[in-house]
Amino acid sequence: MRDRETREDGAAVLNTERSQELLKEYVGVVPGGVHSNFRSPTYFERAKGSHLWDVDGNEYVDCTVNNGACILGHADPDVEEAVVEAVKTGLTVGMESPLSLSVARQLHRMIPSAEQVRFANTGSEAVLKALMIARAATGREKFVKVEGGYHGWFDEAQVSVHPDPAVAGPAEAPQGVLGGKGVRANTLDTVIVVPFNNIEALENTLEANKGDIAAMILEPVMFNCGCILPQADYLHEVRRLTDKHDVVLIFDEIITGFRLAPGGAQERFEVLPDMSVFAKAIANGYPLSAVVGRKDLMELSKPGGQVLYGGTYNGQYAALAAASATLEKLKDGSVQRHVDNLTGRLAAALQEKATELSLPARMEHCGGQFQVYFNDQEIADYRSAAASNRDQYLEFHREVLASGVWMKGSYMFHHGVAYSHGDRDFADIVAAFHRGLRAVKES
């Protein structure tokens, strides 16, 4: 990484002059200067492998990896070659091809629950379509989601994403909270919120709403709160209870998919959902998502069926080519073992330093994804994650970023590594983490 300037106190300083200039130009035509509210207004020129370069010439080890999408690393040569060849065909959107079938078959072979497959573009679209299918299958309107879970940008998904605990009711029986203005107020009539890792609360909810709930959707690992792991038997109990109440169980594997195992979290934890949605790592950063599940459910969305399933860009040809090349590399599990091992080593190194400095810091990790929490309690659900020290994380993040490791400023965002991250990257990340922890201790 490029040498950083330093202040008198030894802290690293990034030059961001060009990004600041661009931001001033951007905000006149783009609200906030970004096209997603989850991005910071730093502008980049290129990416390769595990590294990023911004417009000011700063080089970073990338620990966001396109929000978890670049599991192989940026500009993977096999993926890029496949995309270039796909572009040469002239095929883009609006038509089916042998490649569409080929990638669908790859997913059918890899994902335990994928009896049938349909493509979409984004995770939000895939979730929305899965919920429509579940409602058609059951004739019910309501669905259950986990507090703190993010499943997209549409109305029903914008309930209790990261609510203020002070207004969200008791932890064991949280109240639904709208995510912001513009969300339909009556959305709360059809969305029921439960805490993660709490089977008793789920059982009480299903009993109280017997015959009214179409589906339950959850991330098997809550990466949209950083990284919250399911406790022993939690997912198996969720499966048992949803079966008991004839509720369609939907796994949101948009981030867990292909990272935790070739077949996703459902393979790793040996729990079979009725439907699942996949995106991100499916095509190493190219825009593609998929809805998969039981044949009787998926058949409801066929042409002439009960559920409209449309989209001009569904299965865009270049994205399918990227997916085909990516899935071929993911099917034997070696990529997953590499990223899992790397985050395990990072967690051990961070914990050792945090203990040395007597700091309540911990790194939760799974499938190459991770988050650092400044918290001395177990991270078991949204409330425990939200109780982490935000100010300490921001101080940690400031030093890590200035040291040349690209991470997000949110204390409950997920981070990760790719197959392209090697030993030199590991050393650089550890050095940045140590610097961040020392800054927190000194502050």
Side-chain angles (χ1 to χ4, degrees):
M1 289 181 293
R2 172 189 264 201
D3 291 336
R4 262 58 178 175
E5 297 178 11
T6 58
R7 301 194 312 244
E8 290 183 4
D9 62 3
V13 178
L14 286 173
N15 172 29
T16 61
E17 182 179 351
R18 180 59 180 146
S19 270
Q20 293 301 315
E21 291 174 354
L22 283 172
L23 176 60
K24 292 176 182 178
E25 297 178 32
Y26 257 77
V27 294
V29 292
V30 177
V34 292
H35 292 281
S36 168
N37 290 4
F38 300 106
R39 299 176 189 171
S40 64
T42 298
Y43 303 101
F44 291 90
E45 288 187 331
R46 63 190 179 95
K48 179 66 178 177
S50 57
H51 284 232
L52 299 168
W53 289 264
D54 69 18
V55 294
D56 287 288
N58 298 305
E59 181 181 356
Y60 307 87
V61 177
D62 182 16
C63 280
T64 62
V65 289
N66 285 13
N67 296 346
C70 277
I71 188 170
L72 300 176
H74 299 286
D76 177 84
D78 295 317
V79 174
E80 297 304 293
E81 181 182 358
V83 170
V84 169
E85 291 303 312
V87 170
K88 290 178 181 178
T89 67
L91 293 172
T92 54
V93 298
M95 293 167 284
E96 295 296 331
S97 68
L99 183 59
S100 308
L101 173 60
S102 175
V103 177
R105 280 178 169 164
Q106 285 176 287
L107 297 177
H108 172 72
R109 289 193 295 264
M110 291 174 68
I111 302 167
S113 67
E115 293 181 5
Q116 290 196 336
V117 175
R118 297 205 84 175
F119 293 121
N121 300 285
T122 68
S124 294
E125 291 175 49
V127 170
L128 185 54
K129 289 173 178 180
L131 290 174
M132 290 173 66
I133 292 170
R135 284 170 168 153
T138 61
R140 306 167 188 167
E141 288 293 312
K142 296 181 180 180
F143 76 89
V144 175
K145 66 153 294 187
V146 170
E147 185 179 44
Y150 175 79
H151 303 291
W153 41 252
F154 58 94
D155 291 63
E156 288 90 342
Q158 287 299 303
V159 173
S160 295
V161 176
H162 284 174
D164 181 352
V167 299
E172 65 277 4
Q175 303 300 307
V177 178
L178 294 179
K181 298 293 185 181
V183 179
R184 298 192 319 273
N186 64 358
T187 300
L188 295 177
D189 296 339
T190 56
V191 182
I192 303 171
V193 181
V194 296
F196 192 60
N197 276 327
N198 190 324
I199 285 298
E200 182 180 1
L202 176 60
E203 187 164 23
N204 291 340
T205 296
L206 295 178
E207 285 290 343
N209 295 273
K210 188 176 295 185
D212 291 332
I213 297 174
M216 178 179 183
I217 184 168
L218 79 163
E219 284 188 291
V221 177
M222 288 191 69
F223 284 132
N224 280 301
C225 287
C227 179
I228 307 175
L229 293 162
Q231 295 172 344
D233 293 330
Y234 171 70
L235 295 175
H236 289 91
E237 284 296 291
V238 170
R239 175 70 281 181
R240 180 183 66 81
L241 288 173
T242 50
D243 270 341
K244 176 182 176 181
H245 290 272
D246 194 27
V247 169
V248 177
L249 177 58
I250 303 171
F251 274 3
D252 180 343
E253 294 234 43
I254 288 165
I255 302 176
T256 60
F258 313 110
R259 275 192 162 272
L260 273 62
Q266 58 195 264
E267 176 185 337
R268 181 154 173 168
F269 297 115
E270 298 181 331
V271 177
L272 200 68
D274 300 302
M275 300 182 71
S276 307
V277 293
F278 290 81
K280 295 192 185 294
I282 194 172
N284 201 50
Y286 284 86
L288 184 72
S289 63
V291 182
V292 310
R294 285 177 11 210
K295 182 178 180 180
D296 62 306
L297 294 172
M298 298 296 295
E299 286 280 342
L300 295 175
S301 72
K302 69 183 180 181
Q306 298 179 29
V307 177
L308 174 65
Y309 196 108
T312 297
Y313 293 95
N314 290 354
Q316 197 271 346
Y317 197 76
L320 286 175
S324 182
T326 300
L327 294 171
E328 185 64 26
K329 290 190 166 190
L330 297 179
K331 68 180 183 181
D332 69 356
S334 59
V335 170
Q336 293 85 349
R337 288 189 291 273
H338 173 80
V339 297
D340 221 10
N341 176 263
L342 189 57
T343 46
R345 292 165 57 202
L346 287 173
L350 180 134
Q351 194 60 60
E352 181 180 6
K353 191 66 175 180
T355 301
E356 175 190 321
L357 296 173
S358 299
L359 280 174
R362 59 198 299 149
M363 180 173 148
E364 301 292 339
H365 63 96
C366 185
Q369 295 290 107
F370 69 86
Q371 177 58 322
V372 177
Y373 298 98
F374 287 88
N375 197 330
D376 58 5
Q377 64 176 300
E378 180 188 6
I379 308 298
D381 54 18
Y382 169 70
R383 300 293 177 98
S384 53
S388 301
N389 191 307
R390 186 192 308 244
D391 292 335
Q392 288 183 329
Y393 178 81
L394 288 173
E395 182 68 25
F396 171 79
H397 171 262
R398 183 180 69 83
E399 288 296 329
V400 168
L401 184 65
S403 298
V405 173
W406 183 255
M407 289 178 64
K408 297 277 189 175
S410 170
Y411 79 128
M412 286 202 297
F413 198 86
H414 56 95
H415 297 92
V417 294
Y419 190 56
S420 56
H421 283 76
D423 289 339
R424 175 61 187 275
D425 297 316
F426 171 80
D428 287 341
I429 297 168
V430 169
F433 281 5
H434 285 182
R435 187 169 196 156
L437 291 172
R438 285 195 298 269
V440 173
K441 182 67 175 180
E442 291 167 3
S443 67

